[in-house]
Amino acid sequence: MEKFVTLTSVAAPLPEADVDTDIIFPARFLLLLDKVGLGKHLFHERRHAPGGASTDFVLNTPPFDAAKILVADANFGSGSSREQAVWALSDFGIRCVIAPSFGEIFYSNCFKNGVLPVVLTGEAHRNAMSAAASGQPFVVDLESQTVMFPNGPAVPFEIDPYRKRALMLGLDEIGGILAEDADDIASFEARHRASQPWLFLDDGRLDQLFDETEPS
Amino acid sequence: MSAHTLYDKVWQQHVVKQYDDGTSLLYIDRHLVQEVSSPQAFAGLVAEDRKLVRPAAHIAVADHAVPTRLRHLPLPDGLASRQVARLQENCARFGVHYVGMNDNRHGIVHVIGPELGFTLPGATLVCGDSHTSTHGAFGAIAFGIGASECECVFATQTLRQKRQRTMRVTLNGALQPGVAVKDIILALIARIGTNGGVGHAIEYAGPAVATLSMEARMTLCNMSIEAGSRVGMIAPDATTIAYVRGRKLAPKPEQQAAAEAYWLSLASDADAVFDREVELDVSALVPHVSWGTNPGETAPVSSRIPDPALEADPARRAKMERSLHYMALQPGMRLDEIAIDKVFIGSCTNGRIEDLRLAAEVVAGRHVAPSVSGIVVPGSASVRLQAEAEGLDRVFIDAGFEWRDAGCSMCVAMNDDRLQPGERCASTSNRNFEGRQGQGGRTHLMSPAMAAAAAVSGHLVDVRSLKAAS
Ligand code: SF4
C-alpha cells in the first residue's frame, strides 16, 4: 500500500451532505473487474452531462481538477461497501477526504488504499470548506495529525493509532496478520471448534448440498 | 460478573487476540461471496501467492449482475457474463462452493444464507456487501466489508476490528393492520438520521420485536446500514430456533441441543448497559414512503413534502434542495398524489415469501394501473418456488405484473432491469440514492403492500385506504 505521510495540495470543496457511494461510483461500473483505472468513472453523473459533455462539477474545474484533497460534508461515502468508491478516488488522485462524518465501511476502506479520511466538525470544518474554495493549497500532516489551511493555523484531527501507523508505513495488513498472528489464530480455531462445532462445516457436507449445480 | 449485551457476548467469543492499541483480531466464522466485491479480492490472493485458508467457511453466489429472465440461455457476452464467469473460475480454483444461477438454492446472498442455515445465531458472518447486517436477525454479528477485507478473510479467517459501541432500539406496542416492519425501519431512519447509528451496533428489542417473524426481523436488520450501522442484531429466541431447525446446514442432530441452549444464552442481560437507547412506539405508526434521495428523507404517506427553506443547516438544506430537484418534486406537495411509472417488488429487504404474500393480498382481484408497469422478483429460487406453490405468481401475473427469476435486479440496476431517466418507481428495496435503480431514475421506498397499492392506483397511496374502498 502507498504510504501517507504528508500531502500538500489544493482542496476541492463539495458542500453537500450525504454524498453516497452510488454518487461517488455508480453501480453500473461495478461490473468492471479491476481496481485500477476507475478514476474516469468517479462521480460520473456529476461530471458528465447526459450527452457526455463535461459539467462544471468542482472536480472538472481548475485548479480543483488536480486536487489531491476533497473537502466533503456530513455522511460522505454512506451506502454500499463498494471499495470501488475509494479506488476511483485514489485513481483520480484524491489521497485525503475531509468531512464531518463518513459512512463506516467507506471510512475503513480508505485505510486499505492509502487514502486518509479526516474528520473535522463544526467551525474547523466550516473553515476548511471556505479555505478550500480559495484554491490555495492545504498541508495535511499525518505524523502531527494536523491540517493547515492557507494562511490559517494548524487544525488537529483524531485518528486511531493503529490506522495511523499502517498508513505512515504503508503496511500490508494481511501480510502482518499472517506473519505475526498465525499461531494465535490456529489455537483460537481449535478452541472455537471444540466449543461451537456446528460453526465448522466440512467440505463433505457442503458437497452434498451443492453437487447438483447447474450444467455449465 | 458484569452484565453483557448480545453484541458483547458474541464479540467476546470471537476475539483471537487483543492488540494494545484497542483493536482486536476477530475470528470470522462465515463469509458469503458474490461477484461484485470478490474479483479483486481473489486477484489479491493470486498476486501475493496466498492461500484461501478455510474454503468450507465460504459460499459463493452471483446475484447482482445476473438477469432475471431467460435464465436457461447462456448470458449474453459482456461485462456481466465476464463477472459471473470470473466468480465461477475463482471458486473452482480456490475450492469455494458456488451456487449456480439455475440451481434451486440460488438467490440473493442475504436471502439464501438464512435459507440454507449457513447463517447461524452466535456466529460472525461477513460479506462484501453492506446489507450483510440482515443476518444479525439471527443474533449473529454480521457486517458488510470491502474487497480488501474479503481478501483478508480469505487469507486469514480474521479481521482486525474495533469493538463498536452499542445502541438498543426498543420497539414497543403492536403494528396496526396495513403497517409493516418496513415502516418501522423507515420511520426510525427518518428519526435518527442516515448517520444516526454510525459507530454503533444496533440491537432491536422489545415487545414488538418478539412477535416478528424471522422474515420481518431480517427486513429490520437489513436496513440498519441505512441508519449508518454496520451491525443490527436481534437476540435468538424460540422463533429463531424454529426457523433454523432442519435447514440444510443447521447443526447436526447430535449438536442441536447444545447449540440451541447456547443460542438462547446470548440474549442481553437484563441489567446490561447500552451506550445509547432509542425507543419507538410502533402502535401509532402509519405507512411511510421516501420522497428524497436517501432513506432518511422519508415521511408518512399522508403528509406533505417538507420545505428546505425551513432547514437551518446549510449543507442539509442544499441536500434537500438537490433531492427535490433530482426527484422533480415541490415542497408542500402531498405524497399520495405522486404518480409513478414503475413498481419493483423484491430485493434482500423485501423479497421473501411473506413480502410476496403481503403484496399479493393487495393486488388480488385488481389490476396494475394502465400507466404503470411492475415486476416481482423473488429474493431466491426457493422463495419463487414457494410462491408458485401458493399460486402467488398467478395473482401477480393476472394483475399485470411480470414474474421473474431471483436476483438483485432493479434494486441496483446492474442487469437489464432498470429505470429509464426520469422514470419514477415505487420500490420495496432499501436505497433511493440518485441513479440507484438506473441512471436518472427516481425511487420511492416503501413496504411491499404499499408498493402493490401504488401499482394498482398509479400513484403513491395509503394501502389502508385501498383496503377500505374495496
Ligand atoms: S438486493 Fe439490493 S441491497 Fe440487497 S444485496 Fe442485492 S443489490 Fe444489495
Side-chain angles (χ1 to χ4, degrees), chain B residues 64 108 110 129 131 347-348 408 411-412 430 436:
Chain B
H64 284 63
I108 304 169
H110 310 310
D129 188 284
H131 290 98
S347 85
C348 62
C408 295
C411 171
V412 68
N430 44 51
R436 172 76 179 188

Side-chain angles (χ1 to χ4, degrees), chain B residues 34 63-64 108-110 129-131 134 222 226 344 346-349 407-414 429-431 436:
Chain B
Q34 40 93 331
D63 54 2
H64 284 63
I108 304 169
V109 274
H110 310 310
D129 188 284
S130 59
H131 290 98
T134 310
N222 173 276
E226 267 63 63
F344 170 63
S347 85
C348 62
T349 309
C408 295
S409 178
M410 210 192 273
C411 171
V412 68
M414 284 180 63
S429 55
N430 44 51
R431 287 189 175 141
R436 172 76 179 188

Side-chain angles (χ1 to χ4, degrees), chain A residues 15-18 20-23 27-28 30-35 38 44-46 50 73-75 78-84 87 101-105 108-109 112-113 160-163 172-178 180-181 184-185 188-189 191-193 195-203 205-214 216, chain B residues 13-17 19 21 25 27 29-30 36 39-40 50 54 56 59 65 79-80 82-83 86 88 97-103 105 118 120 123 128-130 144-149 151-152 155-156 158 160 162 164 194-195 198-199 228 230 248-252 255 258-259 262-263 294 315-316 319 322 412 414 431 433-434 436 439:
Chain A
E16 183 188 323
D18 300 317
D20 56 64
T21 48
D22 277 83
I23 295 176
R28 63 183 186 284
L30 293 175
L31 290 167
L32 300 168
L33 298 169
D34 299 315
K35 51 193 215 186
L38 303 183
H44 192 278
E45 264 68 283
R46 299 292 175 95
D73 223 303
N75 213 17
S78 54
S80 100
S81 62
R82 64 189 69 162
E83 202 159 315
Q84 284 85 349
W87 297 333
S101 59
F102 290 91
E104 226 167 277
I105 309 178
S108 122
N109 284 342
K112 316 286 179 194
N113 295 283
D160 279 347
Y162 157 66
R163 288 173 151 156
D172 161 21
E173 184 177 35
I174 299 175
I177 294 173
L178 288 173
E180 287 159 38
D181 303 323
D184 290 318
I185 296 171
F188 174 89
E189 198 170 273
R191 288 198 307 276
H192 194 47
R193 191 188 285 269
S195 71
Q196 295 186 58
W198 51 85
L199 289 175
F200 290 78
L201 296 166
D202 49 63
D203 274 331
R205 208 147 165 237
L206 283 164
D207 284 342
Q208 225 180 344
L209 184 64
F210 293 111
D211 60 3
E212 306 151 45
T213 44
E214 61 183 316
S216 60
Chain B
Q13 283 300 317
H14 289 86
V15 175
V16 172
K17 70 186 277 186
Y19 300 101
D21 56 20
L25 191 65
Y27 190 81
D29 295 315
R30 304 245 158 133
V36 179
Q40 299 85 353
R50 285 175 179 147
R54 205 152 78 70
I59 285 183
L79 294 176
R82 262 180 44 206
Q83 193 167 56
R86 179 70 64 88
Q88 219 168 340
H97 285 80
Y98 169 76
V99 191
M101 211 169 68
N102 291 314
D103 191 297
R105 284 143 298 207
F118 186 75
L120 290 182
D129 188 284
S130 59
I145 57 178
S148 297
E149 290 173 309
E151 184 184 341
C152 188
T156 72
T158 64
R160 191 167 183 159
K162 215 170 137 181
Q164 305 270 83
T194 48
N195 56 358
V198 169
R230 287 173 98 165
K248 289 257 166 47
L249 301 176
K252 297 178 191 160
Q255 301 167 335
Y262 170 66
W263 296 342
N294 78 44
R316 290 274 152 214
K319 159 68 183 140
R322 175 152 191 114
V412 68
M414 284 180 63
R431 287 189 175 141
F433 296 162
E434 287 179 24
R436 172 76 179 188
Q439 202 178 350

Side-chain angles (χ1 to χ4, degrees), chain B residues 284-469:
Chain B
L285 215 60
V286 299
H288 276 57
V289 294
S290 70
W291 52 264
T293 58
N294 78 44
E297 294 180 329
T298 289
V301 65
S302 48
S303 66
R304 289 172 189 276
I305 292 173
D307 190 348
L310 303 176
E311 170 62 52
D313 176 44
R316 290 274 152 214
R317 192 185 320 129
K319 159 68 183 140
M320 282 172 81
E321 281 165 356
R322 175 152 191 114
S323 296
L324 291 179
H325 175 76
Y326 182 85
M327 294 296 289
L329 297 170
Q330 305 299 325
M333 262 181 92
R334 285 187 63 100
L335 284 164
D336 55 11
E337 285 174 356
I338 297 172
I340 53 154
D341 309 300
K342 290 271 164 72
V343 173
F344 170 63
I345 298 177
S347 85
C348 62
T349 309
N350 281 130
R352 297 185 180 80
I353 188 68
E354 278 186 8
D355 302 311
L356 301 193
R357 287 183 191 137
L358 289 168
E361 201 180 302
V362 175
V363 302
R366 294 189 166 100
H367 203 276
V368 169
S371 55
V372 173
S373 65
I375 60 174
V376 183
V377 184
S380 70
S382 124
V383 169
R384 178 174 57 77
L385 293 170
Q386 174 68 28
E388 289 172 1
E390 295 176 19
L392 304 184
D393 57 328
R394 287 303 342 158
V395 174
F396 286 116
I397 292 166
D398 291 346
F401 280 94
E402 284 184 51
W403 178 249
R404 299 290 188 85
D405 276 315
C408 295
S409 178
M410 210 192 273
C411 171
V412 68
M414 284 180 63
N415 64 3
D416 56 346
D417 303 330
R418 62 171 61 131
L419 300 179
Q420 296 307 310
E423 277 186 334
R424 189 180 295 282
C425 182
S427 177
T428 67
S429 55
N430 44 51
R431 287 189 175 141
N432 49 343
F433 296 162
E434 287 179 24
R436 172 76 179 188
Q437 295 194 285
Q439 202 178 350
R442 299 172 178 137
T443 303
H444 294 276
L445 302 174
M446 64 198 73
S447 74
M450 284 287 288
V456 298
S457 308
H459 56 88
L460 305 186
V461 64
D462 188 335
V463 62
R464 298 170 307 168
S465 67
L466 203 68
K467 278 188 173 153

Side-chain angles (χ1 to χ4, degrees), chain B residues 24-250:
Chain B
S24 303
L25 191 65
L26 197 69
Y27 190 81
I28 303 301
D29 295 315
R30 304 245 158 133
H31 179 202
L32 287 159
V33 181
Q34 40 93 331
E35 75 276 35
V36 179
S37 50
S38 67
Q40 299 85 353
F42 280 116
L45 291 183
V46 175
E48 300 290 330
D49 196 19
R50 285 175 179 147
K51 283 213 227 5
L52 190 153
V53 286
R54 205 152 78 70
H58 316 261
I59 285 183
V61 66
D63 54 2
H64 284 63
V66 298
T68 58
R69 49 188 164 188
L70 303 177
R71 280 263 271 269
H72 55 288
L73 300 178
L75 287 183
D77 267 348
L79 294 176
S81 88
R82 262 180 44 206
Q83 193 167 56
V84 174
R86 179 70 64 88
L87 178 62
Q88 219 168 340
E89 288 153 22
N90 280 326
C91 288
R93 173 169 187 171
F94 288 97
V96 169
H97 285 80
Y98 169 76
V99 191
M101 211 169 68
N102 291 314
D103 191 297
N104 281 346
R105 284 143 298 207
H106 176 267
I108 304 169
V109 274
H110 310 310
V111 180
I112 68 167
E115 279 176 358
L116 293 170
F118 186 75
T119 304
L120 290 182
T124 47
L125 183 151
V126 295
C127 172
D129 188 284
S130 59
H131 290 98
T132 308
S133 57
T134 310
H135 309 262
F138 290 79
I141 292 184
F143 54 95
I145 57 178
S148 297
E149 290 173 309
C150 291
E151 184 184 341
C152 188
V153 174
F154 283 153
T156 72
Q157 209 57 45
T158 64
L159 287 171
R160 191 167 183 159
Q161 294 284 305
K162 215 170 137 181
R163 192 184 156 282
Q164 305 270 83
R165 291 188 293 276
T166 53
M167 167 166 159
R168 176 161 56 189
V169 174
T170 304
L171 301 176
N172 294 313
L175 284 174
Q176 300 294 317
V179 187
V181 70
K182 183 71 162 279
D183 299 307
I184 301 180
I185 190 69
L186 286 174
L188 179 74
I189 298 164
R191 178 160 137 200
I192 70 172
T194 48
N195 56 358
V198 169
H200 291 77
I202 296 182
E203 178 178 341
Y204 301 94
V209 176
T211 60
L212 293 178
S213 67
M214 287 317 295
E215 282 84 354
R217 292 179 189 186
M218 285 189 254
T219 303
L220 198 54
C221 290
N222 173 276
M223 287 190 67
S224 303
I225 186 69
E226 267 63 63
S229 288
R230 287 173 98 165
V231 173
M233 297 177 88
I234 294 173
D237 62 8
T239 306
T240 322
I241 284 173
Y243 181 100
V244 174
R245 216 177 258 179
R247 302 262 158 198
K248 289 257 166 47
L249 301 176

